[in-house]
């Protein structure tokens, strides 16, 4: 076996270490994002997840609360200054007038400073909470890999990482403002009771009733918001699937059909949004109507007290202004109800995604391995498949879905519960029991339909790797000459460098075969200890397939490579071929040996019918491998295949 270079993960740490906040005032700022460690979330429920988020940002919440108190109390105290000024005019008292004006100036400064700083801290809380959730989702996506979209719909993942994150950040940000408003309302009621007990008692009884008046309407509003979000999620998923399959839809003339389905889904979203908006409009109307009723009651009762001489005109103006200005904190109470109604289902969905786990967690033996890496033969106990270390093993499986699940298991990502399938072993060590970083550097699985991210070709091939395989070598082995020519022609630069040409999202500007070969080149550059390829040449012609197979064999010489395929061109170049039948390995040998001795193998590779199989002798005669290939493949000259095998040896 050739010596293996250690895999170097390209991790770019921040210029200076950033320890997590450890005090009330040591608060994460926006310019310090991302978090060095977003933490371990409480995902037992959506509400617990929201509480955990708020607790993780206790410093920011405290700052926002204090600045909110400065703003709200300054606004609430404005009637005091106005009342002093009015009373000074009534009594012709210049000193009292100066005091009233001074109070108004001081309160104006408090409002300006409080409003500015509250906005800064509130936005910081919103963005940092959203960033924390996005980091948690990104970490979970990296942990689960392709299994994530098998357990959660792709549209749901997109919705959680976009609109749901914003709603969760909204609630975290609004909570501190709500707390400031609640304290302000209590302070106003208590202050008015002390200042003017006769009117203060009316206000103290009326304000709590106003704050709680919308609570009976919140459950219905929440249900309608949940319904709207569910409909929007389905529409998003439908749109995502339609865009992803647009080429196929155009090929079969199905654009109008799916466009009609999306129209129907979007109209359902509109109707549910209107129903939800009506309920929130009713809540807003209640928050406007009832304070008006309280204000009328205060003015009517207060006017009688003034006429009786029990309170002064300035006191009435003060109480009136205080009651009028409670409208702002009362609206914040309405906002927190709305924020919770929208964020709770969003937090529930985020918690459901974050609660997903690998089939098994790292074992104590694997975590305590002292840094030693797993290496050796790859063995799947569920199927009995053995891929010897340093060999090119091909796997033939008649069921494509079964082959895909087998590829996932070989990569340490079984879709089934851990109890249903034993873990794949690499050198005798359970692969899905290894720490995630070690498992990912040990085995790389290329899916049947790999995804190309947008960016330049150079960025596409800039992946964590051993450094033993250069991008030029990988592109040559994957037969990407035509891809390089196409990218060179599409280059906007004068030099026509294909490595600096941008690849569109998912490589949609390239053909299926070109995308497949670029993905193969990316996997070859990574140069893992074990490379698993699921149908890596299904979208290319026979001539290209033969050369790609030879390139893989040559570049991966001495490394463990497993290819799930049924193409004779690939199978004939493999050191060892294993037949999987009904989930179990039933035969192993070279391609030509299995062609001659195993009818089930020929049935998959040569596409023989059941009638042809039934007509075979129980002891079939050995078949000449070259004759078999000549009957199946459209190569013009089989000597080319022999030459390729000689080059790759």
């Amino acid at each position: 076996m050739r010596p293996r270079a250690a895999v170097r993960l390209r991790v770019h740490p921040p210029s200076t270490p950033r320890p997590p906040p450890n005090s009330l005032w040591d608060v994460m700022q926006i310019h310090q994002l991302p978090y060095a460690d977003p933490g371990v979330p409480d995902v037992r429920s959506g509400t617990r997840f929201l509480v955990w988020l708020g607790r993780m940002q206790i410093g920011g919440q405290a700052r926002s609360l204090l600045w909110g108190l400065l703003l709200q109390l300054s606004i609430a105290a404005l009637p005091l200054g106005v009342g002093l000024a009015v009373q000074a005019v009534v009594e012709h008292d210049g000193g009292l007038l100066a005091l009233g004006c001074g109070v108004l100036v001081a309160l104006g400064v408090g409002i300006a400073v409080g409003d500015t700083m509250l906005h800064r801290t509130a936005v910081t809380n919103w963005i940092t909470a959203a960033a924390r959730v996005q980091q948690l989702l990104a970490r979970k996506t990296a942990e689960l890999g392709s299994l994530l979209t098998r357990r959660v719909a792709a549209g749901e993942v997109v919705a959680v990482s976009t609109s749901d994150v914003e709603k969760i950040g909204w609630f975290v940000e609004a909570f501190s403002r709500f707390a400031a408003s609640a304290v302000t309302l209590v302070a106003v009621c208590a202050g008015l009771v002390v200042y003017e007990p006769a009117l203060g008692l009316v206000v103290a009884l009326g304000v709590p009733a106003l704050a709680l008046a919308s609570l009976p309407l919140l459950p219905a509003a929440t249900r309608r918001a949940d319904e709207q979000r569910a409909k929007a999620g389905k529409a998003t998923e439908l749109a995502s699937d339609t865009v992803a399959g647009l080429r196929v839809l155009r090929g079969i003339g199905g654009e109008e059909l799916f466009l009609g389905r999306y129209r129907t889904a979007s109209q359902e979203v509109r109707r549910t949004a209107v129903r939800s908006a009506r309920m929130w409009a009713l809540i807003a109307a209640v928050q406007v109507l009832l304070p008006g009723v309280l204000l009328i009651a205060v003015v009517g009762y207060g006017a009688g007290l003034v006429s009786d001489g029990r309170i002064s005109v300035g006191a009435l103006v003060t109480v009136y202004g205080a009651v009028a200005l409670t409208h702002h904190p009362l609206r914040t109470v309405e906002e927190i109800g709305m924020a919770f109604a929208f964020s709770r289902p969003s937090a529930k969905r985020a918690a459901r995604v974050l609660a997903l786990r690998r089939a098994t967690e790292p074992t104590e033996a694997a975590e305590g391995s002292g840094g030693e890496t797993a290496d050796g033969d790859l063995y799947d106990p569920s199927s009995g498949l053995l891929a010897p270390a340093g060999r090119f093993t091909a796997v033939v499986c008649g069921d494509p879905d079964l082959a895909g699940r087998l590829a996932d298991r070989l990569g340490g990502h079984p879709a089934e519960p851990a109890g249903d399938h034993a873990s794949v072993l690499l050198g005798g060590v359970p692969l899905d029991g290894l720490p995630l970083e070690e498992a990912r550097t040990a085995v790389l699985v290329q899916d049947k339909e790999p995804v190309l991210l947008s960016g330049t070709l150079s960025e596409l091939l800039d992946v964590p790797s051993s450094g033993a395989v250069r991008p030029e070598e990988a592109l040559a082995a994957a037969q990407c000459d035509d891809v390089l020519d196409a990218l060179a022609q599409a280059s906007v630069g004068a030099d026509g460098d294909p490595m600096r040409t941008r690849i569109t999202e998912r490589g949609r500007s390239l053909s299926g075969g070109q995308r497949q070969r670029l993905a193969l080149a990316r996997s070859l550059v990574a140069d893992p200890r074990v490379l698993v390829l699921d149908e890596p040449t299904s979208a290319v012609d026979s001539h290209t397939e033969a050369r790609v197979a030879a390139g893989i064999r040559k570049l991966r010489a001495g490394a463990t490579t497993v290819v799930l395929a049924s193409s004779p061109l690939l199978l004939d170049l493999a050191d060892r071929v294993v037949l999987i039948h009904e989930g179990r390995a039933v035969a192993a040998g070279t391609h030509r040996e299995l062609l001659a001795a195993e009818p089930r193998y020929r049935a998959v590779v040569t596409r023989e019918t059941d009638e042809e199989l039934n007509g075979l002798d129980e002891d079939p005669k050995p078949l000449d491998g070259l004759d078999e290939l000549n009957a199946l493949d459209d190569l013009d000259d089989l000597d080319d295949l022999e030459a390729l095998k000689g080059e790759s040896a």
Side-chain angles (χ1 to χ4, degrees):
M1 180 185 297
R2 65 172 177 169
R4 308 292 296 159
V7 175
R8 299 192 301 272
L9 292 176
R10 293 185 180 92
V11 179
H12 303 284
S15 56
T16 56
R18 296 197 306 268
N22 55 13
S23 70
L24 186 63
W25 304 108
D26 186 11
V27 184
M28 175 68 71
Q29 299 297 319
I30 294 176
H31 65 83
Q32 295 175 298
L33 295 174
Y35 289 96
D37 179 11
V40 179
D42 186 345
V43 294
R44 289 176 290 177
S45 68
T47 303
R48 290 177 182 271
F49 181 63
L50 290 174
V51 172
W52 175 84
L53 272 179
R55 193 169 63 248
M56 292 297 290
Q57 297 187 208
I58 188 65
Q61 294 288 341
R63 286 188 173 189
S64 187
L65 172 61
L66 293 179
W67 291 120
L69 285 175
L70 176 61
L71 171 64
Q72 299 278 13
L73 291 177
S74 296
I75 294 175
L78 280 175
L80 177 61
V82 174
L84 290 175
V86 170
Q87 192 63 32
V89 172
V90 172
E91 298 178 0
H92 304 284
D93 188 341
L96 186 60
L97 180 61
L99 176 61
C101 292
V103 170
L104 289 176
V105 170
L107 293 176
V109 172
I111 292 172
V113 174
D115 195 17
T116 301
M117 298 307 298
L118 174 61
H119 180 74
R120 287 173 60 91
T121 55
V123 170
T124 299
N125 286 340
W126 188 330
I127 294 178
T128 52
R132 188 187 298 275
V133 177
Q134 286 179 327
Q135 279 189 252
L136 291 170
L137 290 171
R139 185 172 68 181
K140 183 58 61 176
T141 301
E143 176 186 339
L144 295 177
S146 62
L147 291 182
L148 177 61
T149 52
R150 296 189 180 185
R151 298 181 181 180
V152 182
E156 186 77 1
V157 176
V158 172
V160 169
S161 60
T162 53
S163 60
D164 282 343
V165 166
E166 293 184 1
K167 292 182 178 67
I168 292 170
W170 176 27
F171 175 79
V172 173
E173 172 270 326
F175 184 79
S176 54
R177 292 189 292 108
F178 160 71
S181 298
V183 172
T184 300
L185 290 175
V186 172
V188 167
C189 293
L192 291 180
V193 169
V194 174
Y195 179 71
E196 283 295 342
L199 282 177
L201 288 175
V202 176
V203 176
L205 293 176
V207 168
L210 296 181
L212 300 176
S214 60
L215 287 183
L217 301 176
L218 284 179
T222 302
R223 286 194 300 271
R224 294 189 181 188
D226 289 346
E227 183 182 1
Q228 176 193 352
R229 174 59 184 79
K231 297 289 186 182
K234 291 181 179 179
T236 301
E237 184 176 350
L238 179 60
S240 176
D241 293 342
T242 302
V243 171
L246 194 57
R247 271 192 174 185
V248 177
L249 292 177
R250 286 177 175 172
I252 62 176
E255 305 102 309
E256 289 300 324
L257 174 62
F258 277 81
L259 183 59
R261 291 180 181 177
Y262 182 74
R263 285 197 185 103
T264 302
S266 64
Q267 288 303 310
E268 291 180 358
V269 174
R270 182 189 62 81
R271 286 191 291 270
T272 55
V274 169
R275 292 184 68 247
S276 178
R278 286 173 179 168
M279 182 58 66
W280 290 113
L282 177 59
I283 293 176
V286 170
Q287 292 294 336
V288 172
L289 175 64
L290 295 184
V293 173
L294 177 61
L295 199 59
I296 293 173
V298 168
V299 171
Y301 181 55
L305 294 178
V306 171
S307 63
D308 293 341
R310 296 173 58 184
I311 63 173
S312 63
V313 175
L316 177 59
V317 171
T318 300
V319 175
Y320 169 82
V323 174
L325 292 177
T326 57
H327 176 71
H328 186 270
L330 285 173
R331 292 304 297 266
T332 306
V333 174
E334 173 198 347
E335 181 186 359
I336 195 64
M338 181 182 297
F340 181 74
F342 280 98
S343 64
R344 186 185 60 81
S346 296
K348 183 178 179 180
R349 282 183 290 271
R352 184 169 63 248
V353 173
L354 295 175
L356 298 176
R357 294 288 184 269
R358 298 170 66 188
T360 59
E361 297 300 325
T363 61
E364 295 181 2
E367 291 180 334
S369 60
E372 298 179 0
T373 58
D375 208 348
D377 297 341
L378 185 67
Y379 176 65
D380 177 28
S382 299
S383 64
L385 170 65
L386 175 66
R391 306 288 297 279
F392 184 179
T393 302
V395 179
V396 175
C397 185
D399 185 350
D401 294 333
L402 185 61
R405 293 195 294 272
L406 174 60
D408 286 335
R409 284 207 308 276
L410 294 178
H413 299 287
E416 302 86 355
D420 294 348
H421 291 273
S423 172
V424 170
L425 304 178
L426 178 60
V429 179
L431 186 59
D432 58 2
L434 289 173
L436 182 61
E437 181 178 351
E438 168 63 16
R440 289 289 168 81
T441 56
V443 181
L444 171 64
V445 178
Q446 178 176 305
D447 294 333
K448 186 178 302 183
E449 298 179 359
V451 175
L452 300 182
L453 302 179
S454 58
T456 65
L457 179 57
S458 177
E459 292 170 343
L460 175 70
L461 299 179
D462 184 18
V463 295
S465 66
S466 68
V469 178
R470 293 182 292 111
E472 296 79 7
E473 297 174 331
L475 290 169
Q479 300 297 308
C480 293
D481 293 342
D482 62 320
V483 184
L484 296 177
D485 292 340
L487 292 177
Q489 294 176 4
S491 175
V492 296
D495 56 354
D497 184 3
M499 300 300 292
R500 296 196 297 176
T501 303
R502 290 194 65 82
I503 299 173
T504 57
E505 182 185 4
R506 293 181 177 267
R508 290 194 174 100
S509 60
L510 304 173
S511 68
Q514 290 174 330
R515 289 195 300 269
Q516 193 175 58
R517 282 175 283 150
L518 279 182
L520 175 60
R522 179 178 59 187
S523 300
L524 293 174
V525 167
D527 192 35
R529 295 198 292 277
V530 179
L531 177 60
V532 180
L533 303 172
D534 188 3
E535 294 286 358
T537 58
S538 59
V540 300
D541 59 80
S542 299
H543 293 278
T544 305
E545 184 177 31
R547 287 165 174 78
V548 169
I552 295 173
R553 179 185 174 90
K554 181 178 180 180
L555 200 60
R556 294 286 298 172
T560 307
T561 306
V562 180
V563 178
L564 288 88
S566 59
S567 168
L569 296 172
L570 269 171
L571 300 174
D572 198 52
L573 288 173
D575 299 323
R576 186 170 183 265
V577 181
V578 179
L579 172 63
I580 302 294
H581 181 68
E582 296 182 353
R584 296 293 302 175
V586 295
T590 66
H591 168 60
R592 304 188 184 205
E593 291 171 351
L594 293 177
L595 275 178
E598 180 54 63
R600 290 172 295 188
Y601 181 79
R602 290 199 304 274
V604 177
V605 175
T606 68
R607 309 296 193 271
E608 291 182 357
T609 63
D610 292 338
E611 290 77 7
E612 293 170 329
L613 284 175
N614 293 332
L616 292 174
D617 297 333
E618 293 183 1
D619 186 14
K621 298 178 180 180
L623 298 178
D624 182 76
L626 287 178
D627 291 341
E628 186 70 17
L629 287 174
N630 191 39
L632 295 172
D633 299 291
D634 59 350
L635 285 176
D636 295 329
D637 188 359
L638 285 175
D639 291 338
D640 292 344
L641 180 58
E642 293 300 317
L644 288 171
K645 291 176 65 177
E647 292 176 3
S648 65

